[in-house]
Amino acid sequence: MRINRSLFYGIVFVLIAVSAVLIVKFIFASENKKILKVIYEGKAAVEAEDVPKCMSHVSLQYLDDYGLRYLVVQRILTEAFKTFDGFKVLLDNIEIEVDSNKEKAVASFDLRIIVTIQNQPGYLVGTNDGPAKVRMYFIKERLKWQVIKVEGIKAPYM
């Protein structure tokens, strides 16, 4: 079966056009959407209790107001995942501000993390009365957004 030459060129043109649109959409995706994707990937990683996936979104330059650095955060997550079960992360009212150079950003949101310990549910972050008001700071490293600081989450035993 032979295909008509104009039909063949039409199909090739449509495939090239669709590919070009997808490439442009990927390259020029808004910074807000990229940051939102990082936040939701982090949420999924916490719920899956996957330390490496959680830490893949944290900058090696991480330093917060408690003096916590990358390796300490990694150790805290590991211990939390050993101690608690059934992580459920609830995010609400997400607002993202990106600086004019598109190198730094801040995301503000309400956060509750519900866990189970000895078959009893409880709040690890936030309370029954209300969520924690979290501010998450990002920098762009190697063409992807990384968390460099978090405010609003009280670290245990601090």
Side-chain angles (χ1 to χ4, degrees):
M1 179 176 149
R2 290 185 53 99
I3 192 164
N4 185 339
R5 199 177 250 187
S6 61
L7 178 62
F8 173 76
Y9 289 131
I11 292 171
V12 169
F13 174 77
V14 169
L15 288 175
I16 290 172
V18 168
S19 298
V21 167
L22 291 175
I23 289 170
V24 167
K25 185 175 181 177
F26 175 75
I27 291 174
F28 295 109
S30 81
E31 299 303 320
N32 286 18
K33 286 183 182 178
K34 291 177 185 178
I35 292 168
L36 197 57
K37 181 180 177 197
V38 170
I39 292 169
Y40 280 110
E41 284 177 358
K43 172 188 183 293
V46 169
E47 291 179 340
E49 300 180 31
D50 186 344
V51 174
K53 186 69 174 169
C54 289
M55 297 309 294
S56 72
H57 300 294
V58 178
S59 171
L60 292 173
Q61 300 175 45
Y62 183 92
L63 177 63
D64 63 23
D65 294 339
Y66 292 109
L68 301 179
R69 296 194 173 272
Y70 180 91
L71 291 175
V72 177
V73 171
Q74 184 177 30
R75 195 169 30 223
I76 289 171
L77 280 174
T78 301
E79 289 304 315
F81 292 157
K82 285 180 187 174
T83 305
F84 304 105
D85 294 314
F87 282 74
K88 179 70 178 159
V89 179
L90 304 172
L91 297 167
D92 203 13
N93 302 323
I94 301 172
E95 295 178 10
I96 300 170
E97 299 173 24
V98 180
D99 76 347
S100 58
N101 295 335
K102 296 184 180 178
E103 294 175 0
K104 294 181 182 181
V106 178
S108 302
F109 50 89
D110 296 336
L111 174 67
R112 284 187 173 120
I113 300 178
I114 303 168
V115 296
T116 304
I117 185 167
Q118 298 173 349
N119 295 326
Q120 294 294 320
Y123 289 95
L124 186 62
V125 176
T127 65
N128 197 25
D129 295 330
K133 305 291 185 188
V134 175
R135 288 179 60 85
M136 191 173 282
Y137 297 82
F138 294 85
I139 60 169
K140 194 172 243 184
E141 291 181 330
R142 296 180 301 265
L143 300 177
K144 69 179 197 173
W145 289 100
Q146 300 267 256
V147 177
I148 194 164
K149 178 181 176 181
V150 176
E151 293 176 345
I153 298 176
K154 293 185 178 162
Y157 313 110
M158 303 200 109

